[in-house]
Each structure stands twice: as structure tokens, then as C-alpha cells.
Amino acid sequence: MPADPLHRAGKPQRSTTSQPPSGSGASAIEVRRSARRRRTVSAYREGDRTVVLIPARMSEAEEQRWVTVMLDKLAAQESKRLLGDTELAERATRLSDQYFGGRARPASVRWVTNQNTRWGSCTPAEGSIRLSHRLQGMPEYVVDYVLLHELAHLLVPGHGPRFWRLLEAYPRTERARGYLEGVVAADRLPHLSAADDE
């Protein structure tokens, strides 16, 4: 493997590898500490591994916080590379297999631009799932949650206890719901115009 050009000189860095939080999209996380790195933190994908570069002086708690932040940033960047309807359908199949044993099989999954008050919708009789274009660019775990929510409706039509038990299988449900609630709350905040700032 070629040497990392960013860290050729100086003291050797400490590197640790761990399993990522569920839903992060990578199979392992490697944290590389560098004495030359003072304040900046960066991350990139290397095959099925995520490499996070941090200053050597960071505490373990700071490291954990920054790993989470950088995983979310990478996921958001990857989500911005817009998925087409075909990729969205493939993702739905993968999620159904992983969390519902493949029981939720939609006939169609697609992006739509006419859903401005809902994140997604499902018509169980037709087996169709539609996701709002407003989700494009949001972190991957948020899009996955909305897809799983709509897939669950293929198995349980309403929002009763049985429905929510299905979604408990996805470990980032609460985090994704919180993210979406934050987006809705931010949209409701009054927006100041440039004239109001003067």
C-alpha cells in the first residue's frame, strides 16, 4: 500500500480501527492521529473503510464526537450525489432485506416533487412508494429511515404499535426523526431579511 502523502514525515501516528455505528454505510472506521495536525479533522472513504484524520492531542471523547460528526458529513455529501429512481428502488430492496427479512417488496419507488408537507408516502394496494425531493441532500441515514417507514406501511398500513415495533429494528430511527423534526422547526422560524439586520 502506498504511503499516505499527508503524513510522510514527522512522528508516527496512532491508528485505531473500529466498527462503525449502524447505518453509517461503511464496514470499519480507522482513526489516524497525527502530531502535525493541529486543529483540523477530515475524513474520506477508502474502499469499505472510513478513515478519519484527527490531531494526536484529542481526547477519546473528542475523538468519538468527531468520528460521529465526520460520518454524518460524509453521508450528507454522498446523499447529495443524487440517487436516481433505480438506485432508490435498489436501496429499498436492500433495506427490506436487512430489516424486514425481505417481506416488504414495493412495485415502485421514486422521487416526486409534489410532496411539500410529507417526507414520503406509500400506497399499499399498488405497492408504490414516493419520497419527497426535499430529502435529497439529507444524510443517508435520514433517507434510509423514510424509506423504511414507507416500506413498513407495505406490511402494516397504519401507525399503531405493530408498525412502530417494525421500525425499532432500525437503530437510527430516533436520530432520523429528530433530524426531520429539526428541519420542520427551522422552516417555521421567522427568516430575517437583509433590511431587518441593519
Side-chain angles (χ1 to χ4, degrees), residues 44-187:
Y44 60 91
R45 301 278 195 220
E46 190 174 79
D48 65 349
R49 175 187 9 222
T50 301
V51 177
V52 181
L53 307 170
I54 64 171
R57 63 173 176 71
M58 271 193 185
S59 69
E60 294 295 320
E62 288 175 308
E63 174 182 318
Q64 288 304 311
R65 185 177 73 79
W66 275 106
V67 165
T68 300
V69 166
M70 297 313 289
L71 286 175
D72 286 348
K73 271 188 161 181
L74 282 174
Q77 289 169 357
E78 289 163 355
S79 288
K80 285 180 183 172
R81 296 180 204 123
L82 300 180
L83 296 174
D85 291 346
T86 302
E87 293 89 0
L88 198 60
E90 290 168 358
R91 195 164 177 173
T93 299
R94 214 170 41 248
L95 289 167
S96 176
D97 290 344
Q98 184 175 357
Y99 294 102
F100 302 146
R103 293 179 298 136
R105 292 287 178 206
S108 68
V109 182
R110 62 191 174 92
W111 295 107
V112 294
T113 57
N114 63 350
Q115 289 191 66
N116 294 314
T117 58
R118 295 188 293 181
W119 297 113
S121 62
C122 176
T123 308
E126 297 172 6
S128 63
I129 292 175
R130 294 157 307 281
L131 295 190
S132 172
H133 71 287
R134 296 177 305 138
L135 289 165
Q136 292 174 328
M138 289 189 187
E140 194 172 272
Y141 72 92
V142 175
V143 176
D144 285 352
Y145 164 73
V146 176
L147 264 176
L148 279 165
H149 184 106
E150 302 310 331
L151 286 165
H153 280 307
L154 293 175
L155 305 173
V156 179
H159 287 104
R162 195 167 145 240
F163 173 85
W164 293 111
R165 275 194 302 276
L166 278 175
L167 286 179
E168 285 174 2
Y170 184 56
R172 300 186 95 182
T173 291
E174 288 306 314
R175 187 171 186 184
R177 286 177 57 119
Y179 185 99
L180 293 170
E181 287 169 4
V183 170
V184 169
D187 284 347

